[in-house]
Amino acid sequence: MKALVINCTLKKSPEPSNTAALAQVVGDWLAENADVEVEYVRAVDLDIHPGVVSEAVAAGDDWPSVHARLLRARILVIASPTWLGRPSSVAQRVLERMDAMLSETDDEDRPVAYNRVAGVVVTGNEDGAHHVISEINGALCDIGYTVPGQSWTYWHLGPGPGPDYLDDRRGHDWAHRTGRAMAANLYGTARALAASPLGAPPQ
């Protein structure tokens, strides 16, 4: 089984990413406990053009390679910081390009996101994590992903400015424990769907 973690930080590599660090907890559990092959993409490192199509919008558009990875993965994790209480602009760009998957079907006429599971990781030194989780999960459900119960984790230290995840150990135990539970729930649901897949929607 393959998993894809799309990190929607605003920080380009090799700058340390708080969001990547927490998402790694989820990926590590999947790799170490469920033998899942985990791939990480830092979307801001790519040239993802604006649009709502899966094919390249223009020369140099890197989205088709991300789309191909989405189709290889049974588990998807969208990881985003929260800015002004909302998902990052990079996360919004990724979701807009994923919008095209609404009209894509497999050989059995099922939406391509069917029988795939998804969850969300959020970091930020301000409140707003639950809003970010709701916005991203809502979009993923629209596209056709199955979102299991408690398939998210987040870290912040309450409202207002403060230190970053990588700068403060407070709250890590809870965020990591919740991240491991998230990983287990994603894997368990992905296995269940593999054993008993959803069919094409009734016409």
Side-chain angles (χ1 to χ4, degrees):
M1 189 178 293
K2 297 181 186 296
L4 177 64
V5 177
I6 302 181
N7 178 9
C8 298
T9 179
L10 303 183
K11 300 171 182 174
K12 289 198 170 188
S13 299
E15 188 175 355
S17 164
N18 298 288
T19 306
L22 184 52
Q24 188 80 44
V25 173
V26 179
D28 285 350
W29 190 97
L30 290 169
E32 295 166 9
N33 295 277
D35 199 29
V36 173
E37 182 182 333
V38 183
E39 185 175 9
Y40 296 86
V41 170
R42 192 180 289 207
V44 75
D45 288 342
L46 305 176
D47 188 4
I48 298 174
H49 292 208
V52 288
V53 295
S54 293
E55 61 270 18
V57 172
D61 183 8
D62 288 326
W63 180 254
S65 67
V66 180
H67 179 257
R69 294 172 198 174
L70 285 166
L71 297 184
R72 290 196 295 266
R74 288 291 157 184
I75 299 171
L76 170 64
V77 174
I78 300 287
S80 175
T82 173
W83 293 109
L84 300 173
R86 305 186 63 81
S88 74
S89 57
V90 176
Q92 184 63 30
R93 175 71 54 88
V94 167
L95 292 171
E96 285 170 351
R97 293 304 296 266
M98 289 178 68
D99 180 86
M101 295 170 68
L102 281 162
S103 59
E104 296 171 10
T105 56
D106 64 14
D107 293 339
E108 298 181 35
D109 267 348
R110 296 175 298 199
V112 291
Y114 269 35
N115 301 306
R116 304 176 196 275
V117 301
V120 181
V121 170
V122 180
T123 59
N125 58 17
E126 60 184 74
D127 207 348
H130 278 282
H131 177 73
V132 173
I133 291 164
S134 296
E135 286 213 350
I136 295 175
N137 271 344
L140 294 170
C141 284
D142 282 352
I143 293 165
Y145 282 89
T146 296
V147 177
Q150 210 280 282
S151 58
W152 48 262
T153 190
Y154 68 87
W155 179 91
H156 69 74
L157 292 180
D164 291 331
Y165 171 85
L166 289 172
D167 299 327
D168 197 312
R169 298 297 303 175
R170 287 178 294 169
H172 282 214
D173 287 346
W174 181 87
H176 292 186
R177 185 171 64 251
T178 308
R180 291 189 293 269
M182 166 189 175
N185 291 346
L186 287 169
Y187 177 65
T189 305
R191 286 189 63 194
L193 286 169
S196 183
L198 298 170
Q203 298 299 312

